[in-house]
Each structure stands twice: as C-alpha cells, then as structure tokens.
Amino acid sequence: MFRKLAEGDVFSTTESLAASGPRCAILPDGNIICSFMINSCNGANDFVPMAAYSKDGLTWSESKQIWPDLVGKESAFVSVRPSADGKITIAGQCFPIDEPGEAFWSDEACGMKENYLVAAVSEDGYSFPDPVRVPLPFYGSAEQPGGMLGDADGTLTMIYSPYPTIEKKEEVDTCCMVMMRSTDGGKSFEGKKFAVVPEPSEYAESWITRLSDGRLYVSTWQTASADSNQYLISSDNGETFAGPYAQPFRGQSTGISAGKDGKVYIAYNQRKEEPKGVWLALERPDENGVNLIANEPVWEAETATHSNSSGEFAEWTDFTFGEPHVTVLPDETLLVVLWYQQGEKKGIRYIHLAEEK
C-alpha cells in the first residue's frame, strides 16, 4: 500500500543533545516547514524549538531557532500545523526554567513540572510572533504534543492531557482530556473537559484534526489501558464526542493528518511487534467504525531501546526513536518524520512515501 520513495535526514547531529517532536506543514508559498525541538538530553527541561525548510521534502535547509529570546528562560515543546485559513499555527506546552539541568518529569510523582500552554499564528511560516501564554483552566500539567487546529473562520482549537504535577499542590483529574478553543485569533482560550472516563486514565500524545467531511477526529494513546490506541469523533464541532473507542492496532504515540474523502493517516511507534519501528495506518471512519484500509511498517529501527528493554512507557528515556508525524503533500505523496538515535547517528529522519491506489 505504501511504497518508499526516499529517506534521509531533516536534521542530524553528533553533538551531545537530543532531538524530538518533529512535525511538518505545507507553507502558503508551497514550501515545507519541519518544526522540532532540541534539548541537552532526554528528559531535560531545556527544549529549544527549531525549524527547517524544504522545497520538496528531500533537501532541507539548516535549522534555525523559532524563538531565540526564550532560550534558557522557557522550555517550549511545540508543533507547527497548517491552518485552513492559509496561515501556520504553532502551539504546545511550555515550562519555566528554574535551574540549568533540571528535569521536566518526575518518576516519583509520575508527572511533570507545572506548566502552561503557548500558541501563536504565523502569516507565512518563516517568522513567528511571540507566543501567547495560556494558563490551564484546571490544576495540573498539560501534555500537548499535537499543536493547534486552525479552521477557515479563524477558530483555533487545541487539546491536552492533564498530568499530575511534581509540585502536587492539588489532586489532578486525569480521567479526561481538555479542549481549549479561541474565537479571537488566539488572544484568549476557553477550556472544557471531554473524553471523560470513570477509571484511572493516562491519556497521552493526543491529536485533533478535522476530517474532509467536517467531523472532528481525536487520536490518543491510552497508556493505562490494554486498548492503548484510541479515537473519538465529533459530528457537532466538538460539543460532544463519541468514544473513546479502541483502534484495530496497538502501538505507542500517534501523529495524524486528514486526507481526502474522509480519510485519516495515523503514524505511530511499534516497539513490541516485529518489525519494530514506525508504522502508518490509513482509515476512513464512519458510524460503523474506523474502516482500516492499511496498516504497514514504513521505517524499521535497528533497536527499539538503548538497553534492549521491553519498551514500556515507563522506559521512555531509553527509547531510540519516536514521535512520528505524517503529512500529505500537494502531489498526494506522504512525508513521515520521526526522531531517532541509532548507534552514532541521531536527529530527525524523513521517509517520503507513495500511496498505491
């Protein structure tokens, strides 16, 4: 179903640092942007958002810092996305930096340092205004890897998974996701809980997109459930959601993009089944289910973890690849990006694919 056309690096380094969170978007001028983060090591609270550019997805420019003034002061993990009004959105989670070398995650707390959301809208995808800092409507930390959905009328929507905090000032409701929506161009956001479940929950890597038929589709990774990959659908613009329902595949993390004819592409990590690496699923969801069309490996890893461990979520700092994302290019080919650390090689990898009709 998916045929590899080319593979290479968006960014590569031999320095002692980590790269993460690659996302791509088609710019208004037809070029491609790939945003990603670098930090001093896995787990360090010193993320620096970067951007690289390409005309064809094969040859990439040297990367540049998106917000140089934030470096060393705030640690932002953000994602670019194309907006239906022709602009480029960038949004995600952001942590204050109190001490050099500190971690944003605590295994003891099973949570993150208190944080907030950041969001901005760029006219062209080359220059980005300073981000708006968005406080969380409910106590907790936000896990927000999926960026921000921009609609044709200028409405902006992002979702996040609530996590316990290292500070533990209050109990955190993790049995839900939270939707944040702005109707004033990102100046202010209102939040509400959705995907509420009765049992203890650990939503993660949650994305929202609008299908070509207008429905909202949410993909999430439920780390506390045997049905780890789940989805929800809304036919009333997010007022209500059906689900969460189990996906017909199991993996870790998802990065999604809507296609034509109600289709959605889902890139995800596979660290347990063979071949280990990044897989790509294609669905056309309707009232009867997801209607899985394809589910295939598109990039194979040499090793799933540095220490050849089981690859469970708790071992995330040991992973050797992750956070894939898929983009539909103007010629209907596909561009999958991921971070990788394979032997001496590390950086952001791309795979250019053709979809066999």
Side-chain angles (χ1 to χ4, degrees):
M1 182 76 184
F2 302 117
R3 177 169 53 87
K4 184 186 295 187
L5 300 175
E7 180 177 344
D9 284 329
V10 174
F11 166 81
S12 63
T13 182
T14 57
E15 295 182 35
S16 178
L17 53 80
S20 59
R23 325 294 188 199
C24 288
I26 309 302
L27 300 178
D29 66 2
N31 288 336
I32 305 167
I33 181 175
C34 180
S35 69
F36 59 96
M37 272 58 60
I38 58 173
N39 61 331
S40 56
C41 63
N42 289 337
N45 186 38
D46 52 12
F47 289 115
V48 177
M50 309 290 290
Y53 298 87
S54 176
K55 291 183 178 181
D56 55 10
L58 307 180
T59 303
W60 291 86
S61 72
E62 216 163 305
S63 56
K64 67 173 187 177
Q65 296 175 0
I66 293 176
W67 291 309
D69 292 344
L70 264 60
V71 176
K73 302 173 185 176
E74 297 177 81
S75 174
F77 187 106
V78 292
S79 303
V80 294
R81 291 182 60 170
S83 179
D85 63 1
K87 301 176 183 179
I88 299 295
T89 68
I90 185 168
Q93 64 204 38
C94 190
F95 305 85
I97 299 174
D98 295 318
E99 296 180 13
E102 67 183 5
F104 69 85
W105 175 267
S106 165
D107 286 332
E108 181 182 358
C110 292
M112 295 187 287
K113 184 173 181 174
E114 287 186 22
N115 64 3
Y116 41 89
L117 301 175
V118 288
V121 178
S122 170
E123 295 290 334
D124 58 7
Y126 295 99
S127 61
F128 290 89
D130 292 339
V132 173
R133 282 114 179 126
V134 183
L136 306 186
F138 312 103
Y139 182 75
S141 289
E143 198 259 10
Q144 206 283 59
M148 186 162 59
L149 172 67
D151 285 321
D153 64 357
T155 299
L156 301 171
T157 305
M158 50 183 169
I159 62 174
Y160 74 86
S161 305
Y163 268 56
T165 67
I166 295 174
E167 295 81 357
K168 292 188 175 181
K169 295 176 184 175
E170 300 176 28
E171 291 294 319
V172 178
D173 180 8
T174 63
C175 296
C176 64
M177 287 183 274
V178 178
M179 175 184 290
M180 304 291 290
R181 181 162 278 175
S182 173
T183 57
D184 60 7
K187 296 177 183 177
S188 63
F189 288 81
E190 293 187 0
K192 69 174 185 178
K193 297 179 181 180
F194 75 106
V196 178
V197 292
E199 66 276 2
S201 170
E202 293 178 3
Y203 286 114
E205 297 292 323
S206 301
W207 287 69
I208 186 168
T209 193
R210 192 174 292 280
L211 301 179
S212 61
D213 58 17
R215 291 176 299 163
L216 291 174
Y217 179 100
V218 170
S219 174
T220 187
W221 176 28
Q222 178 56 278
T223 66
S225 171
D227 294 324
S228 56
N229 296 106
Q230 299 181 355
Y231 72 98
L232 301 95
I233 290 186
S234 174
S235 299
D236 55 11
N237 199 35
E239 292 298 318
T240 61
F241 281 86
Y245 303 120
Q247 290 278 18
F249 54 82
R250 301 291 177 269
Q252 292 177 336
S253 182
T254 55
I256 67 176
S257 287
K260 294 181 178 180
D261 305 320
K263 295 188 295 187
V264 61
Y265 297 86
I266 308 169
Y268 67 96
N269 300 319
Q270 183 56 261
R271 295 190 176 93
K272 294 187 176 180
E273 297 180 10
E274 297 294 340
K276 295 179 175 65
V278 171
W279 289 51
L280 183 61
L282 172 60
E283 301 174 347
R284 186 183 283 113
D286 61 20
E287 64 276 6
N288 298 315
V290 296
N291 299 311
L292 186 66
I293 299 170
N295 181 34
E296 300 175 5
V298 295
W299 180 84
E300 293 187 26
E302 296 173 10
T303 58
T305 61
H306 290 291
S307 60
N308 199 29
S309 57
S310 63
E312 297 291 341
F313 172 60
E315 301 163 344
W316 64 275
T317 57
D318 195 42
F319 293 166
T320 59
F321 67 91
E323 294 173 317
H325 178 243
V326 56
T327 301
V328 183
L329 300 181
D331 63 0
E332 297 189 38
T333 60
L334 305 170
L335 188 67
V336 173
V337 288
L338 63 137
W339 68 262
Y340 76 103
Q341 297 176 356
Q342 301 285 298
E344 297 298 316
K345 298 180 180 179
K346 58 183 176 180
I348 304 299
R349 197 74 172 163
Y350 76 80
I351 305 95
H352 187 204
L353 302 167
E355 180 185 341
E356 304 292 353
K357 304 297 184 180

